[in-house]
Amino acid sequence: MEWFGAADYELARQVLQRGVAACYLIAFVSAINQFPVLLGDHGLLPVPRFTAHVRFRQSPSIFHWHYSDRMLRVLAWSGTAVAATLVAGLPQQGPPWLPMAAFLLLFAGYLSIVNVGQAFYSFGWESLLLEAGFVVALLGSDQVAPPLVVILFCRWLLFRLEFGAGLIKIRGGREWRDLTALYYHHETQPMPNPLSWFAHHLPRWFHRGEVVGTHFAQLVVPFFLFAPQPVASVAALIVILSQFWLVLTGNFAWLNWITIALAFSAVDDVTLRALLPWLPVGQTAPDAPLWFVIVVTLATGLLVVLSYWPLRNMLARQQLMNVSFNRYHLVNAYGAFGTVTRQRHEVIVEGSDAADPADEAGWRAYEFRGKPGHPEHRPRQFAPYHLRLDWLLWFLALGARDTRWFEMLLVRLLEGDRPTLRMLRANPFPQAPPRYVRARLYRYRFSTPAERRGTREWWVRSDVGLLVPPITLAWRSRT
């Protein structure tokens, strides 16, 4: 069985399994905190209404048989506990079937959440987490050497993630080809972080260099992930460094962190110990049992067959971005930011308890945790945690067509719904809900260093117009 094991990738396995498990832990905690409010029995897009119209075979989920907020919390807390044991490395100390079973439980549990999550779970990193969890389940435990075919498939997953993103960019907006994309990205990205203002004000030659570096990391480097060592390790380290820059300058949930974990599939133990000589030297694992070899070989063979569809997509002229070709989110197509918007628009939700909605003095703004809001608010760091409501508000400002969740959000604010209000940064009506709510559209830009010194504001905004006119609960009853 010498062909089967990759003994030089024991440290890589540790990072892959613990890193992916950590992302699952964050995802399940996010579900505990947000799912009932967004998708629960009294949520903005209730799961029971979704499962009444979508069949199990279209979107497999345990919640097709029954949904309750309590059942969701039991599932999410169970997933959190299992993920925590994997982060600690406990199942990995047992037989190879134990971490395999643990990761498959995480996969099945999170699949049940994603497949009923509708708009709130439509992000590419949901499918990425599901696929990564299924793949690293096949890495086994410390009692066997990491399977070479699984290590290679992790690289193939990373290749699709990076090269797919690169193709989307070079085929997408002109700003990626004329090297101006990063003139705007730090300012207009969905959720800037505390360093985004500073990154935006770096010299333009630096921004052009960022674009060149992005193209190099995503269109050239991925091919070297399959090269002999130490070339593959160098390629992986370039990917890791590029991802750390994204971590420093943005809030992209766990996308960058899981990409970093996957990159370690191309870093062998020799390279890691050369860089970090204090790392322990592992013991040689015995040959894998026959059942493990058969299961891993068959499962990897299935994943290779499923790779046809994302490969065809990458070669197609009309490349699709963040698409699953099967209901289990295995072997997907990925990509991000095919175009970069040059202007930032934000939806500001306001309420008024005045008798006359025409009285402008009565309107007060709700504040969302991850949105710019008041110009004095400095962008905050939330990633790898995922603020789903705030992300959808960014797409809403871009003109997203599906606005059912937003209509229900306005209703919940008129009702003074406490779980919904706890999702916000600030509620301007703590005593009683407002009589009216409305939504205005503003254009935001980062303040210049001179403006920042004079006003201490991080943002400058201008009113674009009314997105939703003043409405009351009576409007809801009529609709």
Side-chain angles (χ1 to χ4, degrees), residues 375-423:
E376 290 184 355
H377 290 164
R378 182 180 183 177
R380 297 194 291 175
Q381 184 67 44
F382 292 98
Y385 190 77
H386 186 16
L387 294 176
R388 301 180 182 280
L389 181 61
D390 302 63
W391 266 79
L392 284 196
L393 282 168
W394 183 77
F395 287 107
L396 181 70
L398 293 179
R401 296 180 180 180
D402 185 2
T403 61
R404 293 173 299 159
W405 63 270
F406 186 65
E407 295 167 8
M408 287 307 304
L409 173 64
L410 298 180
V411 172
R412 295 291 181 263
L413 296 179
L414 286 168
E415 294 172 342
D417 182 64
R418 290 186 179 277
T420 300
L421 292 171
R422 284 196 291 269
M423 299 278 288

Side-chain angles (χ1 to χ4, degrees), residues 1 51 97 188 205 316 326 376 386 429:
M1 295 295 179
T51 55
W97 61 263
T188 63
W205 63 262
N326 56 78
E376 290 184 355
H386 186 16
F429 301 94

